[in-house]
C-alpha cells in the first residue's frame, strides 16, 4: 500500500544495501545506504537513521574509505544520542576511538 510504504521504506533500502554489499556490488550498496539514511531522516526515524549510518560506516571502513566511515560513525553516534540510546552511542564511540585513534 502506497500510504504505508514510508513506514518501511528505509528498512527495505538498508536491507538492499546490505545485500548489494554482500554481493560485491559496492556502488549500488553505497547509493542504497545513502537512500536509507535519507528516508529514515525524512520520516523522522532517528534510531533507524542511526543504524543506517552505523552500517554505512562499517561498509566504508571495509572499503578503505576511512574519512567517510568516520563521518558515518559520528552521524550515527549523534542520532543515538538524540534518540536517548546513550549506551549504544557510547559503544560506538569506544569502537571509533579504538579504530581511528590507535
Amino acid at each position: 500500500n502506497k500510504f504505508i510504504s514510508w513506514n518501511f521504506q528505509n528498512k527495505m533500502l538498508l536491507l538492499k544495501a546490505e545485500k548489494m554489499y554482500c554481493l560485491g556490488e559496492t556502488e549500488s550498496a553505497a547509493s542504497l545506504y545513502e537512500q536509507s539514511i535519507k528516508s529514515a531522516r525524512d520520516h523522522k526515524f532517528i534510531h533507524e537513521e542511526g543504524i543506517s549510518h552505523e552500517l554505512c560506516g562499517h561498509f566504508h571502513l571495509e572499503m578503505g574509505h576511512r574519512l567517510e566511515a568516520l563521518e558515518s560513525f559520528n552521524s550515527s553516534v549523534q542520532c543515538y544520542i538524540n534518540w536517548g540510546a546513550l549506551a549504544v552511542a557510547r559503544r560506538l564511540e569506544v569502537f571509533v576511538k579504538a579504530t581511528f585513534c590507535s
Side-chain angles (χ1 to χ4, degrees):
N1 184 327
K2 69 179 181 174
F3 298 110
I4 61 169
S5 66
W6 62 269
N7 192 30
F8 58 85
Q9 179 183 44
N10 71 294
K11 298 167 195 68
M12 289 302 299
L13 289 166
L14 184 58
L15 288 171
K16 288 179 182 179
E18 290 283 284
K19 179 181 177 179
M20 292 297 104
Y21 175 42
C22 289
L23 294 174
E25 300 288 338
T26 57
E27 288 182 28
S28 293
S31 175
L32 287 161
Y33 283 118
E34 293 304 321
Q35 290 175 54
S36 175
I37 290 165
K38 183 182 180 328
S39 176
R41 183 182 307 120
D42 289 349
H43 296 106
K44 312 287 190 255
F45 294 123
I46 194 164
H47 58 299
E48 293 172 3
E49 181 184 349
I51 292 167
S52 294
H53 275 297
E54 184 175 355
L55 291 175
C56 185
H58 286 291
F59 165 76
H60 283 301
L61 189 60
E62 298 237 349
M63 295 293 103
H65 307 145
R66 291 179 62 82
L67 181 59
E68 292 90 342
L70 183 58
E71 290 172 357
S72 291
F73 289 136
N74 287 337
S75 294
S76 179
V77 166
Q78 195 57 55
C79 287
Y80 291 146
I81 289 170
N82 292 342
W83 185 44
L86 302 182
V88 177
R90 182 69 187 132
R91 173 196 49 82
L92 190 52
E93 287 173 330
V94 168
F95 171 80
V96 168
K97 188 172 185 177
T99 303
F100 292 91
C101 298
S102 56

